[in-house]
């Protein structure tokens, strides 16, 4: 049975998509079967996995509206080594269309259940909001991976997400928990980042992943080639950190 994880943080530009595609590529590299579900209408995880969001015949939108299954909607770019259910702007409309539908927050969960035995990991790239789309992600998942930059307001933003996760845990999905906080775009030369990193460890203890993802330009360049950094430049510091993170995830899986 697949372990299902949301990559979530209601802030934009914090590294959710970079984490999703590089963790997926890292897990594939260590032999895991991986599905990425792009839940962001921006479609960055789709494009960053080498799939053209403008050319999708079926997307996660169709999956949410139950007019397609995961098996029908998924695509694979052999270069990246994992499957993708893509997203594009059409998904923004799902937010409104779902409102009147039954089980509107459980649509994705039902869809993933039908493909569960075909994967070891399902990674859901969430949009930068606590919306109906994110709620579908949180209702589907065993846990949440929270990428964050070690900046001054990081902890403040975190409390909203932690409260949402608590509410979903209490009312909708008793399986849900925070798997861990991933420090990303880390620059050890910046004293403030070191301080915030220490604060995180004090507040969240072993919920902070051991692996730290450094700021690395190769990770930022990779999407324009339609590849995760792990594939684009495997020898880069950023790629190596994500492979280490994939190994950390596999090592922790029995504890989750
Ligand atoms: P989100 O999905 O949370 O909006 P992204 O993953 O798209 O965030 O990252 C925001 C920007 O930061 C992108 O341009 C991305 O390429 C860049 N970026 C993300 N992680 C790193 C990193 N570790 N080093 C350098 N640039 C990064
Ligand atoms: Mg994103």
């Amino acid at each position: 049975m697949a372990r299902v994880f949301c990559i979530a943080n209601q802030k934009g530009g914090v590294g959710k998509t970079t984490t999703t595609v590089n963790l997926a590529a890292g897990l594939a590299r260590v032999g895991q079967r991986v599905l990425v579900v792009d839940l962001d209408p921006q479609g960055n995880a789709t494009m960053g996995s080498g799939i053209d969001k403008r050319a999708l015949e079926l997307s996660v939108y169709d999956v949410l509206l139950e007019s397609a299954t995961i098996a029908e909607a998924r695509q694979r770019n052999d270069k990246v080594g994992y499957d993708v259910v893509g997203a594009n702007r059409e998904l923004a409309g799902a937010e409104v269309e779902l409102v009147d539908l039954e089980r509107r927050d459980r649509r994705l969960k039902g869809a993933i259940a039908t493909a569960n035995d075909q994967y070891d990991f399902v990674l859901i790239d969430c949009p930068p909001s606590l919306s109906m789309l994110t709620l579908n992600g949180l209702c589907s998942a065993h846990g949440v991976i929270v990428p964050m930059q070690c900046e001054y307001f990081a902890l403040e933003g975190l409390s909203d997400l932690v409260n949402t996760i608590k509410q979903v845990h209490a009312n909708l999905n008793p399986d849900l928990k925070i798997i861990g906080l991933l420090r990303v775009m880390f620059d050890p030369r910046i004293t403030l980042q070191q301080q915030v990193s220490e604060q995180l460890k004090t507040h969240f203890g072993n919920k902070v992943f051991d692996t730290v993802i450094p700021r690395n330009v190769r990770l930022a360049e990779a999407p324009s080639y339609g590849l995760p950094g792990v594939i684009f430049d495997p020898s880069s510091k950023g790629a190596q950190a994500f492979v280490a993170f994939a190994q950390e995830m596999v090592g922790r899986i029995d504890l989750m």
Side-chain angles (χ1 to χ4, degrees):
M1 242 217 355
R3 307 295 298 182
V4 183
F5 299 118
C6 277
I7 321 303
N9 186 324
Q10 77 276 26
K11 290 216 291 188
V14 292
K16 290 182 291 296
T17 300
T18 305
T19 299
T20 304
V21 300
N22 283 288
L23 176 59
L27 287 168
R29 171 157 292 205
V30 297
Q32 305 293 308
R33 300 167 302 163
V34 185
L35 172 69
V36 165
V37 177
D38 191 350
L39 259 193
D40 187 339
Q42 292 182 79
N44 294 345
T46 304
M47 297 295 277
S49 303
I51 291 160
D52 187 352
K53 65 180 178 183
R54 291 153 302 200
L56 293 175
E57 278 179 27
L58 293 170
S59 71
V60 72
Y61 171 86
D62 302 281
V63 171
L64 287 169
L65 294 181
E66 295 179 346
S67 58
T69 63
I70 298 253
E72 289 164 344
R74 70 185 163 201
Q75 302 208 28
R76 193 180 184 92
N77 169 358
D78 282 327
K79 278 193 212 146
V80 308
Y82 54 84
D83 289 349
V84 179
V85 175
N88 55 29
R89 286 178 55 199
E90 198 181 24
L91 181 59
E95 192 83 50
V96 178
E97 288 168 56
L98 281 170
V99 168
D100 292 329
L101 301 179
E102 274 180 37
R103 299 173 294 105
R104 59 188 176 176
D105 45 12
R106 314 289 174 91
R107 295 286 175 124
L108 186 61
K109 183 183 172 78
I112 289 173
T114 66
N116 224 321
D117 55 343
Q118 294 160 39
Y119 298 101
D120 300 303
F121 287 89
V122 177
L123 303 180
I124 304 170
D125 188 27
C126 289
S129 62
L130 299 173
S131 61
M132 184 55 69
L133 293 172
T134 299
L135 200 57
N136 261 277
L138 295 176
C139 284
S140 309
H142 300 112
V144 186
I145 296 168
V146 185
M148 51 187 307
Q149 288 171 258
C150 291
E151 286 175 348
Y152 185 64
F153 289 115
L155 285 169
E156 203 168 298
L158 210 54
S159 59
D160 291 338
L161 181 62
V162 169
N163 284 334
T164 302
I165 291 169
K166 278 187 186 155
Q167 279 175 24
V168 174
H169 171 86
N171 300 311
L172 297 167
N173 177 8
D175 284 346
L176 190 69
K177 54 178 175 290
I178 293 189
I179 300 297
L181 308 178
L182 177 66
R183 291 163 287 173
V184 299
M185 299 191 223
F186 193 75
D187 185 344
R189 292 167 302 182
I190 301 175
T191 312
L192 175 65
Q193 293 208 3
Q194 285 177 358
Q195 287 168 348
V196 174
S197 175
E198 287 308 314
Q199 278 178 350
L200 276 181
K201 283 200 255 176
T202 309
H203 282 274
F204 293 95
N206 64 2
K207 289 277 180 195
V208 182
F209 288 111
D210 294 334
T211 311
V212 177
I213 310 296
R215 184 172 284 285
N216 179 251
V217 69
R218 302 300 268 170
L219 291 173
E221 289 168 350
S224 61
Y225 296 86
L227 292 172
V230 165
I231 310 288
F232 174 61
D233 185 355
S235 65
S236 65
K237 286 259 178 337
Q240 287 174 355
F242 272 114
V243 172
F245 180 46
Q247 283 161 337
E248 184 177 355
M249 285 292 295
V250 173
R252 277 190 181 211
I253 203 77
D254 295 330
L255 308 172
M256 289 172 192

